[in-house]
Amino acid sequence: MAQNTRYDILFEPVAIGPVTAKNRFYQVPHCSGTGHLRPQAHAAMRAMKAEGGWGVVCNEETEIHPSSDLSPYVENRLWDERDIPALRLMTDAVHEHGSLAGIELVHNGNHTYNLFSRAPALAVNDMSVSFGWPKQARAMDKSDIKELRRWHKQAALRSKEAGFDIVYVYAGHGMTLAQQFLLPEYNNRTDEYGGSLENRTRLIRELLEDTKEAVGDSCGVAFRFAVDELKGADGMQAEEEGRAVVELLAELPDLWDVNVSDWSNDSSTSRFNLEEGYQTQYTEFVKTVTSKPVVAVGRFTSPDMMVSLVKRKAVDFIGAARPSIADPFLPKKIEEDRIEEIRECIGCNICVSCDGMSIPIRCTQNPTMGEEWRRGWHPEFIRPKQSEQSALVVGSGPAGLECSMQLARRGYHVTLAEAADTLGGRVSAESNLKGLSAWSRVRDYRQQDLQQRGNVDIFTGSELSAEQVVELGIQNVFLATGAVWRRDGVGRSSRKPLPGVESAKVFTMEDIVSGVQMPSGPIVIYDDEQGYLGGVLADHLSSAGHEVIIVTPGSVVSAWTAYTLEQERIQTLLLKQGVKIIANHSISSVSDDNVTVSCVFTGKKMEIPCAGLLLVTERTRRTELYQSLIALKESGNKEAQPFNFELIGDALAPGLIADAVYSGHLAAQNFEEDPAEIERALFQRELPSLSIER
Ligand code: ADP
Ligand code: SF4
């Protein structure tokens, strides 16, 4: 039970068929980019959630057959019994902490293109694969459906053998065969699997029955179902067919895991859905239809909201993917009434982006995520100090804050100096932009932690020179001095300043957040970086009433945000707000009142009016202090000896906020570490087995 009785209800055990979860905290399946290629990393990451108190810890979508081969994306795999040992690593590790382990079995139908297996793709009807490769899937005939059921059943039996307690049937995210059979948009079969809702639900019913028959005696059988596609009358709606499906199958699964579809709606970023519980309006009817337990998600991090959801019978389990990534110890912190220590997800989807890039998961808020096995990092514990040394951290952006916090946790005395009057650096700046307010949690969590520590001195309004750093006499200095956006247009498209830029009215993100008066007339944003910022600034300025033209060499705005599942939303939003998008163009020169842009393919030039040019091209590292310290050290100045200093964060290599946090964390972890160990950790990886067994 919880230390604060208010939260007791969250720690009640709940039965899922033949198994019982020790509490109501349920990590729903989520991808991690570790999967079948990095099983040790996968197991260690899931085990951390179990250690942190999640009553149920699921894996990620798990391919049941080579005709559902998600390559190049790295998910889990259970093609045959040879995949069992890798999955057992996870179940053993999760069970050690008394949690249940769940497996999400899937056949992805036309959402895979089988690039490794080179098997023909299968679908409910003849249709193109849904993305990524010019290829078609063929309609499954009755014998294919029989085979599919056999594969699923075998996978369920192997799941049990691998030690899983909960086995899924999965119809969600617009990604699975079971969902494609269900949706009339895909299914135009004329046999008993097409037509009426009952027919379109037939495959799901069969898969659920098969799974129950195979493993239902000892495993809970869960059904993950997207009740609404958020397409209005053009798709499944919670109050129409969504409800009818739940009514048809109400008591069949042991657990309903419900959400909205597609993935971009389920994993919506805070930029588009700031509110916690944004899915509840769609999912809460489910409990009124079934007596089986229900789990639902919605970026839940507030225990009071969790309690109220359970009390008003909207859910039985608090489902979480991202909140469990940002804070694997969220349940423990609630149990021990350490609410203010919860590291809340900021809804940025950097974790999600890793799946699309087939790389191990990472998180802006939790730099240890994905590093549990490789580096042996723990989100709550860090090895204590080695000596009585102290540290000075200059700059309080995400890198400086994280570095200070971790050094302080290790027990060192930390002095944090910040030139500005407030802490947070770029996080404070960017969270002032439209849609990014939740990002301030990166600062708030760390600031609150630091302010409570007796071994930390914080000085704001303190821009330090090299001489002042030396005067302070602190032996170890971490320079987290950040980076500033360039004002000359140098970037990916041009390694030279833009002709005419020196006499033009040029602005950067820093000007916008400091409230500089923008000229009246069209503002041209040049987004040569193609990350998130150009699109955010376009939204920010156009919402404030400015006429905005965004020029980008990319073929769409904010091209990289496809990985955070935001690109289409951003482009739609900007177009609706009247922002003019000039894609496939770079800027070739600038004058007082216009810019010349050229087509990246033909070089054809065009002039566009411009009252002010806002550049998002590249950043310059702020290394003046670092250079001055080097000069002082090299001058042989006795007072400047001996002391160590290093650059961290954006001053070392500009990147995402997640990169800066990671850099600060790494520096704190590596402080006073054996250089050989630092080197070893960098090279740590899971090597393919050279076994010749076929
Ligand atoms: P990062 O992302 O690497 O953490 P930021 O750009 O967010 O970097 O933050 C850098 C911070 O460093 C800014 O808040 C800036 O005011 C501060 N800073 C830069 N130079 C100095 C200095 N010489 N003394 C104190 N603070 C500094
Ligand atoms: Fe949340 Fe961002 Fe971390 Fe993902 S990367 S869990 S969205 S803070």
Side-chain angles (χ1 to χ4, degrees):
M1 288 294 111
Q3 276 182 21
N4 185 336
T5 52
R6 199 159 84 215
Y7 305 130
D8 272 355
I9 195 168
L10 301 175
F11 294 89
E12 292 170 350
V14 182
I16 304 171
V19 296
T20 299
K22 65 181 174 185
N23 61 33
R24 296 182 187 272
F25 291 93
Y26 193 113
Q27 182 243 277
V28 296
H30 71 75
C31 57
S32 71
T34 55
H36 67 94
L37 286 185
R38 305 172 183 104
Q40 301 282 0
H42 179 255
M45 180 269 288
R46 302 291 179 196
M48 196 60 81
K49 315 273 195 95
E51 186 183 335
W54 297 86
V56 179
V57 178
C58 296
N59 75 335
E60 52 210 67
E61 56 177 339
T62 305
E63 307 161 354
I64 59 168
H65 189 261
S67 62
S68 179
D69 155 32
L70 284 157
S71 307
Y73 306 104
V74 186
E75 316 295 334
N76 270 154
R77 186 165 276 179
L78 190 42
W79 289 2
D80 61 29
E81 64 286 349
R82 288 172 298 176
D83 294 310
I84 291 174
L87 290 166
R88 189 167 267 291
L89 289 178
M90 170 190 160
T91 57
D92 283 348
V94 166
H95 289 157
E96 259 180 46
H97 300 284
S99 308
L100 300 178
I103 182 167
E104 184 183 46
L105 300 181
V106 68
H107 194 294
N108 296 89
N110 82 325
H111 196 72
T112 48
Y113 26 84
N114 302 335
L115 293 185
F116 174 76
S117 69
R118 303 183 78 164
L122 300 172
V124 56
N125 297 116
D126 275 347
M127 63 174 80
S128 304
V129 297
S130 61
F131 71 111
W133 195 266
K135 177 173 179 173
Q136 288 186 212
R138 75 170 162 78
M140 295 171 74
D141 60 23
K142 296 281 180 53
S143 63
D144 292 322
I145 293 176
K146 217 167 142 196
E147 279 296 88
L148 170 77
R149 290 178 59 186
R150 189 173 65 82
W151 302 332
H152 202 282
K153 198 166 181 175
Q154 280 181 340
L157 287 165
R158 290 180 183 127
S159 301
K160 180 176 163 181
E161 203 181 327
F164 285 99
D165 311 285
I166 298 168
V167 180
Y168 269 76
V169 173
Y170 174 26
H173 291 130
M175 292 180 181
T176 78
L177 196 52
Q179 193 185 19
Q180 290 150 17
F181 267 78
L182 183 61
L183 298 174
E185 186 191 346
Y186 295 93
N187 183 342
N188 52 31
R189 298 176 75 98
T190 51
D191 61 7
E192 66 268 35
Y193 290 93
S196 68
L197 180 66
E198 201 160 355
N199 281 356
R200 285 182 276 119
T201 316
R202 188 176 307 279
L203 179 64
I204 293 171
R205 179 184 289 282
E206 288 171 346
L207 293 176
L208 284 167
E209 284 169 354
D210 292 345
T211 310
K212 284 206 108 169
E213 189 186 308
V215 299
D217 58 330
S218 54
C219 299
V221 175
F223 179 38
R224 195 176 204 191
F225 172 51
V227 297
D228 201 307
E229 293 185 276
L230 307 197
K231 288 180 178 172
D234 293 335
M236 174 153 295
Q237 289 179 280
E239 280 312 319
E240 306 279 332
E241 282 208 334
R243 174 183 278 271
V245 171
V246 185
E247 282 169 355
L248 274 175
L249 302 173
E251 302 300 313
L252 191 51
D254 297 318
L255 171 98
W256 284 85
D257 177 345
V258 286
N259 61 7
V260 294
S261 180
D262 58 10
W263 191 17
S264 70
N265 289 323
D266 185 27
S267 289
S268 180
T269 55
S270 58
R271 188 169 165 190
F272 290 97
N273 265 307
L274 185 59
E275 296 309 320
E276 201 174 326
Y278 57 91
Q279 299 197 23
T280 308
Q281 58 179 308
Y282 302 102
T283 55
E284 69 181 328
F285 79 87
V286 178
K287 253 198 83 63
T288 65
V289 181
T290 175
S291 70
K292 301 292 174 157
V294 174
V295 55
V297 293
R299 235 186 302 108
F300 296 120
T301 52
S302 314
D304 289 325
M305 176 178 266
M306 297 174 190
V307 167
S308 92
L309 285 170
V310 175
K311 281 196 171 154
R312 72 179 164 88
K313 300 199 184 312
V315 293
D316 298 281
F317 286 102
I318 305 301
R322 290 172 294 175
S324 77
I325 294 167
D327 197 339
F329 276 64
L330 185 144
K332 273 256 155 72
K333 289 176 184 175
I334 296 175
E335 188 176 17
E336 293 166 8
D337 204 20
R338 296 186 285 129
I339 311 303
E340 65 298 337
E341 290 180 35
I342 293 173
R343 201 169 37 243
E344 290 182 289
C345 166
I346 68 167
C348 62
N349 276 7
I350 296 306
C351 51
V352 168
S353 75
C354 300
D355 184 64
M357 303 194 97
S358 306
I359 52 172
I361 192 167
R362 63 214 59 199
C363 169
T364 303
Q365 274 284 56
N366 174 12
T368 68
M369 176 49 50
E371 296 286 18
E372 300 84 355
W373 176 81
R374 190 172 78 114
R375 290 188 177 273
W377 286 358
H378 192 288
E380 300 302 309
F381 306 112
I382 185 164
R383 109 199 121 89
K385 64 181 178 182
Q386 308 286 295
S387 70
E388 290 310 311
Q389 300 217 29
S390 52
L392 168 66
V393 178
V394 186
S396 70
L401 285 174
E402 175 70 14
C403 184
S404 303
M405 184 177 78
Q406 297 301 346
L407 287 171
R409 283 183 177 178
R410 291 188 62 187
Y412 296 106
H413 187 273
V414 177
T415 304
L416 172 60
E418 165 57 52
D421 293 331
T422 50
L423 302 181
R426 67 180 285 194
V427 166
S428 295
E430 291 178 35
S431 57
N432 278 323
L433 294 169
K434 182 163 175 261
L436 303 189
S437 61
W439 292 19
S440 60
R441 290 173 170 184
V442 173
R443 174 200 61 212
D444 296 344
Y445 165 72
R446 291 166 176 81
Q447 182 170 341
Q448 131 121 355
D449 182 283
L450 286 166
Q451 280 168 345
Q452 282 171 17
R453 292 185 183 273
N455 57 339
V456 178
D457 294 321
I458 301 176
F459 299 97
T460 51
S462 307
E463 177 154 11
L464 296 186
S465 64
E467 289 72 20
Q468 287 168 321
V469 169
V470 171
E471 250 172 57
L472 282 169
I474 302 173
Q475 273 185 333
N476 305 287
V477 184
F478 297 88
L479 297 164
T481 45
V484 290
W485 287 95
R486 294 185 75 123
R487 293 178 172 271
D488 58 4
V490 169
R492 279 189 175 140
S493 298
S494 170
R495 297 316 307 163
K496 293 199 183 102
L498 297 174
V501 75
E502 61 292 335
S503 52
K505 287 185 222 85
V506 168
F507 301 89
T508 63
M509 180 275 280
E510 291 88 354
D511 298 321
I512 306 301
V513 294
S514 64
V516 162
Q517 180 77 35
M518 297 300 281
S520 57
I523 306 296
V524 173
I525 299 177
Y526 184 32
D527 185 10
D528 193 28
E529 190 212 27
Q530 301 177 46
Y532 62 86
L533 190 64
V536 168
L537 289 167
D539 181 14
H540 187 84
L541 289 179
S542 65
S543 303
H546 291 281
E547 178 187 345
V548 175
I549 303 167
I550 183 161
V551 177
T552 176
S555 54
V556 290
V557 282
S558 304
W560 173 81
T561 61
Y563 291 112
T564 55
L565 311 179
E566 293 172 300
Q567 195 284 324
E568 283 179 24
R569 286 169 186 237
I570 293 168
Q571 189 130 356
T572 305
L573 174 87
L574 296 185
L575 289 171
K576 283 188 175 164
Q577 271 172 212
V579 172
K580 189 167 175 201
I581 297 170
I582 303 181
N584 297 319
H585 281 75
S586 56
I587 293 184
S588 44
S589 65
V590 188
S591 76
D592 248 5
D593 51 9
N594 67 36
V595 295
T596 305
V597 298
S598 18
C599 172
V600 294
F601 302 112
T602 64
K604 192 172 169 206
K605 291 191 173 12
M606 163 168 89
E607 292 207 342
I608 52 175
C610 169
L613 176 61
L614 175 51
L615 291 174
V616 185
T617 60
E618 210 169 270
R619 280 178 287 167
T620 305
R621 299 187 294 136
R622 293 185 67 178
T623 56
E624 306 86 343
L625 181 56
Y626 178 69
Q627 300 301 344
S628 306
L629 287 170
I630 290 181
L632 257 183
K633 200 159 189 172
E634 285 175 354
S635 73
N637 178 339
K638 283 240 166 49
E639 279 160 36
Q641 316 278 342
F643 83 117
N644 312 308
F645 52 93
E646 64 175 289
L647 288 169
I648 61 171
D650 286 308
L652 178 65
L656 293 168
I657 292 172
D659 297 319
V661 172
Y662 183 86
S663 172
H665 189 94
L666 181 65
Q669 288 269 8
N670 284 349
F671 183 50
E672 293 202 281
E673 177 60 284
D674 175 3
E677 176 50 32
I678 294 174
E679 173 116 334
R680 190 201 63 76
L682 185 62
F683 285 85
Q684 178 82 332
R685 64 217 191 269
E686 295 183 56
L687 293 166
S689 157
L690 295 180
S691 145
I692 52 166
E693 184 198 335
R694 295 175 77 90

